[in-house]
Amino acid sequence: MPGAIMRSPQQMTDGGDVLDAVVIGAGWAGLGVSYWLARRGLRHSVLERGRIGETWRTQRWDLFRMNTPNVQTVMPGDCYDGPDPDGALTRDQFVTLLEDFAGRNALPIEPDTAVSELTHENGAYRLTTSHGTLWARNVIVASGSLNCPVRPVWAAALSPALRQIDASGYRSAADLPDGAVLVVGSGQSGAQIAEELVDAGRAVFLATSRVGRLPRRYRGRDIMVWLLESGFLDVRREEVIRVAGRIPPRGVLGSMHTISLQALSARGVVLLGRLTGIEDGGSLSFADDLEANARFADEASENVKRHVDDYISRMGIDAPVAEPDPAETVAMRQPNPTIGSLDLSRSGVTSVVWCTGFKGDFSWMRLPGALDNAGQPVHADGVAALPGLYFAGLDFASTRKSGIILVIAEEAPRLVEHIAGHP
């Protein structure tokens, strides 16, 4: 039955039994790896600190929708055959998809099993969990690299009367105290949350940042379909770093329509430059870069559309001509005069939603050489330098596609083949 979990009692023992593999995390990446481990006949267990898709359940807001279209939101071995290929699953629908996948494939999941320590002893990996000790020849860490929110260090200096939450803690406008809201960061989460808040009738200030933008649809198709088909998402991590100097944040992509800074301003969001710090009097200061940030997003969108145009021309595809996108043609409204300093109390701001990025929490790994100085995985295409250690589902692990759900259909079998070839 959908959502059923197959348990293997002998797998959770403190004895000398050594599994072929243990997967840590039962999100889309962990389940995808488990699917392929099972197909190869490798005895394994999937350890999940909570429930299947726990991060999706607890770190997404109520009206959250996936940014990939339904046709691309599929797990290994599955394909979409529903009536709305261009639609977007809600948070709860996606969790149901994961539960159904695990149940149909009888994956060996151990829910409510947190891993507190991972070490390597006597030629095997030792996992200390809330249900005992487990041993495995191989460990695949699929706990996510974007589940631990990051705030500026000086956020703690803001007034204790101010409600501060991270994007992962935001659920709805109704949960915030009355008053205006400052959203910090105009990436994926920040732009979508700012739009939701202003649509709910809240006064919203948005501290912008240098983030690109993608149109939701272009020339008759969802932009993600074009980007996958054209090879845009296959660009290697190394090439992205070479061009941008670092791994840039993903461009803003509304789940149902294009979201731009100008469109947000037209709906009433007050746009600010990048938040730079706290002034002596407690006011917040902002850089004079709003126009530059909006221009960067516009240029990113144009670059993507040119890439699609070139692909259509090169392949001789009969596609409709481009039509103006209202979110990209509306004029941007800017504060006059420009706001370089904001007194939160005088402006009526009672809440701050920090949309300033995430990192992974791998502090439980006691494996010298497995993590870099920032505590993040050291790997090549998901394969760690330590034999038998792997990472699945990391953002930008190999290509632009890494970290997007559809990638697990190719990432998981590759990792499992590596495991099978190195018993």
Side-chain angles (χ1 to χ4, degrees), residues 21-86:
V22 165
V23 181
I24 302 175
W28 57 267
L31 296 180
V33 171
S34 177
Y35 171 85
W36 279 100
L37 288 170
R39 286 176 67 88
R40 285 300 302 251
L42 296 173
R43 202 162 58 92
H44 71 286
S45 184
V46 182
L47 309 184
E48 169 54 54
R49 62 187 171 89
R51 300 158 291 178
I52 290 174
E54 185 68 21
T55 296
W56 294 91
R57 297 173 189 265
T58 59
Q59 295 190 5
R60 302 294 185 274
W61 58 93
D62 294 347
L63 298 182
F64 174 91
R65 284 183 177 270
M66 305 298 291
N67 289 320
T68 49
N70 290 337
V71 69
Q72 292 181 346
T73 310
V74 293
M75 295 294 287
D78 292 347
C79 62
Y80 181 79
D81 60 359
D84 189 18
D86 290 334

Side-chain angles (χ1 to χ4, degrees), residues 3-301:
I5 304 298
M6 173 174 283
R7 287 177 175 270
S8 300
Q10 76 277 9
Q11 292 181 354
M12 294 302 292
T13 70
D14 292 314
D17 190 24
V18 180
L19 296 172
D20 292 321
V22 165
V23 181
I24 302 175
W28 57 267
L31 296 180
V33 171
S34 177
Y35 171 85
W36 279 100
L37 288 170
R39 286 176 67 88
R40 285 300 302 251
L42 296 173
R43 202 162 58 92
H44 71 286
S45 184
V46 182
L47 309 184
E48 169 54 54
R49 62 187 171 89
R51 300 158 291 178
I52 290 174
E54 185 68 21
T55 296
W56 294 91
R57 297 173 189 265
T58 59
Q59 295 190 5
R60 302 294 185 274
W61 58 93
D62 294 347
L63 298 182
F64 174 91
R65 284 183 177 270
M66 305 298 291
N67 289 320
T68 49
N70 290 337
V71 69
Q72 292 181 346
T73 310
V74 293
M75 295 294 287
D78 292 347
C79 62
Y80 181 79
D81 60 359
D84 189 18
D86 290 334
L89 294 181
T90 66
R91 173 196 64 189
D92 296 341
Q93 287 173 333
F94 182 62
V95 170
T96 297
L97 179 150
L98 296 180
E99 290 180 322
D100 176 71
F101 179 80
R104 283 188 289 108
N105 292 287
L107 302 181
I109 299 169
E110 298 289 345
D112 300 315
T113 304
V115 178
S116 58
E117 187 175 65
L118 173 63
T119 59
H120 191 269
E121 304 172 18
N122 302 319
Y125 287 95
R126 183 179 188 270
L127 299 99
T128 303
T129 82
S130 54
H131 287 169
T133 301
L134 198 61
W135 294 86
R137 296 181 182 86
N138 300 277
V139 171
I140 305 93
V141 180
S143 55
S145 58
L146 299 173
N147 53 17
C148 185
V150 177
R151 294 184 187 181
V153 293
W154 44 261
L158 293 176
S159 169
L162 194 67
R163 172 79 182 280
Q164 297 188 61
I165 61 173
D166 300 293
S168 56
Y170 172 78
R171 292 295 172 270
S172 71
D175 290 338
L176 299 180
D178 292 340
V181 184
L182 170 64
V183 178
V184 182
S186 59
Q188 198 74 273
S189 297
Q192 292 188 23
I193 289 174
E195 181 181 63
E196 179 177 311
L197 287 168
V198 77
D199 286 351
R202 304 300 288 267
V204 180
F205 295 88
L206 176 63
T208 61
S209 41
R210 194 172 184 265
V211 183
R213 182 182 71 245
L214 297 174
R216 181 70 265 180
R217 292 188 64 81
Y218 185 65
R219 300 192 66 174
R221 301 173 74 178
D222 189 280
I223 193 65
M224 290 297 292
V225 175
W226 282 126
L227 297 186
L228 179 64
E229 183 180 304
S230 66
F232 181 88
L233 296 179
D234 293 321
V235 173
R236 294 284 304 175
R237 170 191 174 91
E238 297 81 7
E239 180 65 12
V240 173
I241 293 175
R242 186 190 68 78
V243 173
R246 60 185 177 86
I247 291 295
R250 294 191 185 275
V252 174
L253 179 61
S255 58
M256 304 301 289
H257 53 260
T258 304
I259 298 180
S260 68
L261 294 180
Q262 48 265 49
L264 290 174
S265 71
R267 296 169 90 155
V269 174
V270 179
L271 300 180
L272 311 169
R274 177 177 51 86
L275 178 58
T276 56
I278 304 178
E279 300 172 356
D280 289 341
S283 296
L284 299 183
S285 58
F286 301 87
D288 184 19
D289 59 358
L290 172 57
E291 289 189 3
N293 292 340
R295 185 166 56 252
F296 181 83
D298 291 344
E299 291 172 353
S301 178

Side-chain angles (χ1 to χ4, degrees), residues 296-382:
F296 181 83
D298 291 344
E299 291 172 353
S301 178
E302 290 303 314
N303 288 339
V304 165
K305 288 186 282 191
R306 277 196 295 272
H307 171 87
V308 173
D309 289 339
D310 290 345
Y311 172 72
I312 290 172
S313 176
R314 188 170 67 253
M315 302 303 294
I317 298 172
D318 183 15
V321 298
E323 296 182 356
D325 188 322
E328 298 190 317
T329 57
V330 65
M332 185 170 71
R333 297 180 182 178
Q334 300 186 53
N336 188 15
T338 300
I339 299 175
S341 177
L342 186 69
D343 184 308
L344 299 184
S345 180
R346 291 181 180 178
S347 301
V349 174
T350 58
S351 305
V352 176
V353 182
W354 296 103
C355 301
T356 43
F358 293 85
K359 63 180 181 179
D361 180 7
F362 303 97
S363 59
W364 43 270
M365 297 179 65
R366 307 286 191 264
L367 299 170
L371 305 176
D372 61 20
N373 292 335
Q376 300 304 293
V378 175
H379 68 97
D381 294 335

